[in-house]
Amino acid sequence: MEAATLSRIGLAGLAVMGQNLALNIAEKGFPISVYNRTTSKVDETLHRAHTEGPYPLTGHHTPRDFILSIQKPRSVIILVKAGAPVDQTIAALSEHMDPGDTIIDGGNEWYENTERRIVEANNKGLLYLGMGVSGGEEGARNGPSLMPGGSFEAYNNIKDIVEKVAAQVDDGPCVTYIGEGGSGNFVKMVHNGIEYGDMQLISEAYDVLKNVGGLSNAELAEIFDEWNRGELESFLIEITADIFKVKDEHGEGELVDKILDKTGMKGTGKWTVQQAAELSVAAPTIAASLDCRYLSGLKDERVEAAKVLEEAGLKEEVGAVGTGIDKKQLIDDVRQALYASKICSYAQGMNLLRAKSVEKNWNLNFGELARIWKGGCIIRAVFLDRIKKVYQRNPNLASLVVDPEFAKEMVQRQAAWRRVVGLAVSAGISTPGMCASLAYFDTYRRARLPVNLVQAQRDLFGAHTYERVDRPGAFHTEWTKLARKSK
Ligand code: 6PG
């Protein structure tokens, strides 16, 4: 093909995300070639490029034609299901690629798979990027947050494209070079873990307002719309307000009340919690969101348990606290509890990123990560601009909890936070995320914890020794002998 007609970039994998990202790239003026194993998807994308544009997008039905239609050094984005499909797609495309070309995996891939593929690609003279793409279908089409990690040379080959295609916020495009190896996938994974925490905390706020405060869906919609005009302004708060407005087309009331209380999940939240354990980083709020998804999956068991416990005398809602509640106070308390819990959840996520950055020597820039999450991604929020500024002020901050401004805000909100958790506990309504965040806050802020007793127990039964507060060294005590003697 003539050089003039070659595409600037290619994209293989035309499911929802791939199709929309390809159209976004074309719309920004970068000629793009697309390919998909099922050729009908190619034709569908071509049709959309024609009707929505026309945009400079060409479709190809074979890997060879697809690759040869792209100008060198070629950059090829693949957006297929994580795991084996990525390896299969790489195999089909790379045989037609030349040294210096780049493969960019845009899926939610496990970071170690990316690191394996970087080596495999390099052995063929190819460059490789693992790029987190956040924002769902709408983000892919109109401006995602992009988290590319791997070859810096490969990133520079597509920098002009991704900076145009990404969501745009006041301080630039929501994309940056994350770092080497699988860092891009890891950052996207933690983004998802934080997303799980955010969604869990919002669901708990909803639960307390609905079941303790007795708010209707119309009132909930109003409250979340109002919260979206303040410190909680964010994509997830905005969409939550919208969800409460949607009527059920098959019956009375709102659709949200007809949805089965059983969540799905694709795995990134689980990986986040696994990595936190591997790195000895406390992430209780994110873990609580994962456990709640697991427990929601036990729907039949929970229906049975409700019956058994009710027969044993326990109502599903223990305390009838709905009466005599000051609704206005409750609403404001829940807002404060949600915000304070969110700070703890983000602190956990950022601490996990820091631990991994140290382990892998990625040198992650936390201010930049918060900046590119300000737009396009699922956790996009005004709040992230605050976090960006915190890390720009102090890149080595031990935790968001001890940033002077966030610390003050948490102290100002802790009374409301404790009231909400206390009310929920009395009402028998579980708020695992808010409780986890509060326990995290109360544990992290205490100079002395009751683990002196744990150390004594470990030394008594396992002779694991302990340190003392008043002198250096490791000590062991014959606890039982001494205890017997003292009788
Ligand atoms: C994003 C989302 C996306 C994720 C879905 C489903 O950043 O656009 O995080 O990548 O896959 O939200 O995630 P779960 O099925 O694990 O909830």
Side-chain angles (χ1 to χ4, degrees):
M1 288 175 89
E2 290 303 311
T5 59
L6 291 178
S7 293
R8 177 70 205 285
I9 190 168
L11 190 146
L14 297 172
V16 168
M17 292 296 284
Q19 207 174 100
N20 282 289
L21 186 59
L23 287 163
N24 183 355
I25 292 170
E27 182 183 35
K28 298 303 187 297
F30 299 100
I32 183 168
S33 296
V34 297
Y35 164 74
N36 194 77
R37 230 173 36 171
T38 313
T39 51
S40 59
K41 284 285 182 191
V42 175
D43 302 334
E44 194 182 301
T45 309
L46 275 169
H47 177 71
R48 282 189 63 186
H50 179 70
T51 50
E52 291 176 29
Y55 297 138
L57 179 145
T58 57
H60 305 271
H61 288 181
T62 70
R64 182 176 182 280
D65 289 352
F66 168 60
I67 293 298
L68 297 185
S69 73
I70 304 163
Q71 72 181 49
K72 291 182 184 179
R74 301 185 186 96
S75 297
V76 177
I77 299 171
I78 56 178
L79 261 167
V80 297
K81 196 171 173 310
V86 173
D87 294 304
Q88 288 151 13
T89 308
I90 291 172
L93 300 180
S94 57
E95 66 176 279
H96 307 290
M97 295 175 80
D98 295 309
D101 289 355
T102 297
I103 292 169
I104 304 158
D105 176 13
N108 278 333
E109 185 54 89
W110 172 238
Y111 86 97
E112 289 182 322
N113 287 342
T114 291
E115 300 203 331
R116 165 176 57 80
R117 294 179 183 128
I118 287 172
V119 173
E120 291 167 356
N122 292 173
N123 291 341
K124 300 175 194 167
L126 300 177
L127 306 177
Y128 199 93
L129 285 171
M131 179 167 75
V133 179
S134 180
E137 177 179 355
E138 199 278 332
R141 180 67 185 83
N142 298 312
S145 170
L146 297 171
M147 295 153 253
S151 159
F152 187 60
E153 180 188 346
Y155 173 70
N156 278 324
N157 288 342
I158 58 165
K159 187 168 184 287
D160 58 333
I161 300 174
V162 290
E163 287 188 346
K164 283 286 284 289
V165 156
Q168 307 294 317
V169 290
D170 59 321
D171 46 11
C174 292
V175 59
T176 191
Y177 175 69
I178 300 292
E180 295 178 351
S183 59
N185 296 114
F186 194 91
V187 165
K188 175 56 168 65
M189 176 199 79
V190 174
H191 162 277
N192 281 33
I194 291 173
E195 171 191 306
Y196 276 41
D198 269 351
M199 292 163 75
Q200 175 64 28
L201 292 171
I202 289 171
S203 74
E204 292 173 12
Y206 155 62
D207 198 6
V208 172
L209 291 175
K210 175 182 165 71
N211 293 306
V212 176
L215 271 71
S216 68
N217 288 330
E219 289 173 310
L220 286 162
E222 210 179 295
I223 292 304
F224 277 88
D225 269 332
E226 186 189 319
W227 287 357
N228 197 41
R229 292 189 285 271
E231 63 193 11
L232 287 171
E233 182 188 346
S234 60
F235 172 70
L236 285 172
I237 293 287
E238 179 187 351
I239 66 168
T240 300
D242 291 343
I243 286 166
F244 288 122
K245 296 168 188 167
V246 176
K247 296 291 181 202
D248 178 14
E249 60 175 338
H250 298 302
E252 291 303 304
E254 288 71 35
L255 176 56
V256 65
D257 293 332
K258 314 292 174 57
I259 294 181
L260 182 65
D261 54 315
K262 193 172 174 181
T263 56
M265 65 186 104
K266 293 204 181 72
T268 47
K270 180 179 74 175
W271 297 344
T272 305
V273 173
Q274 285 173 325
Q275 281 295 296
E278 284 290 332
L279 292 158
S280 305
V281 171
T285 310
I286 300 172
S289 70
L290 191 65
D291 288 342
C292 205
R293 291 201 182 194
Y294 293 150
L295 288 171
S296 79
L298 303 176
K299 175 69 180 177
D300 296 343
E301 275 189 45
R302 289 187 287 110
V303 169
E304 197 45 41
K307 285 187 203 131
V308 169
L309 273 300
E310 192 151 355
E311 276 151 28
L314 179 68
K315 295 261 172 300
E316 198 178 308
E317 262 75 51
V318 172
V321 291
T323 51
I325 284 282
D326 174 346
K327 233 177 187 177
K328 201 167 171 323
Q329 174 75 52
L330 178 70
I331 291 166
D332 196 54
D333 281 355
V334 170
R335 176 185 58 78
Q336 294 187 65
L338 182 50
Y339 183 75
S341 299
K342 186 175 169 144
I343 295 173
C344 287
S345 181
Y346 279 66
Q348 294 159 32
M350 300 310 283
N351 288 350
L352 176 53
L353 286 170
R354 180 183 57 205
K356 198 66 176 179
S357 183
V358 168
E359 181 198 70
K360 299 287 286 183
N361 201 21
W362 283 337
N363 195 29
L364 297 179
N365 178 332
F366 305 116
E368 261 301 86
L369 297 185
R371 186 189 68 75
I372 68 168
W373 285 347
K374 281 172 57 178
C377 64
I378 301 295
I379 65 170
R380 60 184 182 266
V382 164
F383 181 70
L384 280 151
D385 192 55
R386 303 274 313 284
I387 293 180
K388 179 201 80 170
K389 290 182 173 124
V390 164
Y391 281 108
Q392 285 178 340
R393 270 201 306 270
N394 181 358
N396 302 313
L397 183 73
S399 166
L400 287 175
V401 170
V402 292
D403 165 68
E405 283 180 23
F406 277 133
K408 201 183 320 150
E409 289 181 343
M410 297 184 83
V411 170
Q412 287 164 347
R413 289 164 178 74
Q414 60 150 352
W417 196 2
R418 296 180 196 284
R419 281 195 296 271
V420 170
V421 167
L423 261 178
V425 167
S426 312
I429 288 173
S430 59
T431 53
M434 287 188 182
C435 288
S437 279
L438 183 56
Y440 180 81
F441 174 69
D442 281 338
T443 304
Y444 186 68
R445 68 177 179 75
R446 289 177 64 194
R448 179 133 173 96
L449 292 174
V451 297
N452 52 318
L453 181 59
V454 172
Q455 284 294 80
Q457 292 162 339
R458 292 179 65 245
D459 187 49
L460 184 152
F461 60 67
H464 294 297
T465 74
Y466 58 88
E467 296 171 277
R468 289 176 59 100
V469 294
D470 55 1
R471 67 193 67 196
F475 301 87
H476 169 62
T477 299
E478 295 297 333
W479 296 89
T480 308
K481 202 188 295 174
L482 290 172
R484 296 274 147 71
K485 240 201 260 170
S486 67
K487 278 183 180 150

